[in-house]
């Protein structure tokens, strides 16, 4: 399991969301929660973002079946 942290911008780019939309999804509990690195700096656990992407693909595949 990767414990590498990625920036908010990189996490947003990986899923195709705008960073503001990404944070809204976090507040709604629909995206993995960020890790606070400093008072004004957050990061996302790379493996959690990848798992979220895999779950979206799996849900899509289930709906298509």
């Amino acid at each position: 399991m990767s414990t590498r942290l990625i920036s908010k911008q990189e996490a947003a780019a990986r899923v195709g969301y705008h960073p503001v939309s990404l944070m809204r999804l976090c507040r709604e509990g629909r995206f993995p929660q960020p890790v606070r690195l400093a008072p004004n700096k957050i990061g996302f656990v790379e493996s959690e973002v990848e798992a979220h992407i895999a779950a979206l693909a799996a849900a899509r595949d289930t709906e298509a079946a």
Side-chain angles (χ1 to χ4, degrees):
M1 179 160 113
S2 172
T3 55
R4 180 173 179 258
L5 295 175
I6 59 176
S7 69
K8 174 174 57 175
Q9 290 75 15
E10 185 175 348
R14 287 194 185 190
V15 292
Y17 299 148
H18 188 276
V20 173
S21 297
L22 182 79
M23 295 312 296
R24 180 178 41 81
L25 292 171
C26 288
R27 281 192 306 277
E28 294 171 355
R30 297 172 46 206
F31 195 81
Q33 295 300 301
V35 175
R36 178 131 333 257
L37 303 172
N40 294 316
K41 179 79 172 171
I42 62 169
F44 289 85
V45 178
E46 184 178 36
S47 61
E48 293 177 359
V49 173
E50 295 299 324
H52 177 76
I53 294 168
L56 290 174
R60 175 206 60 203
D61 294 343
T62 301
E63 290 174 3

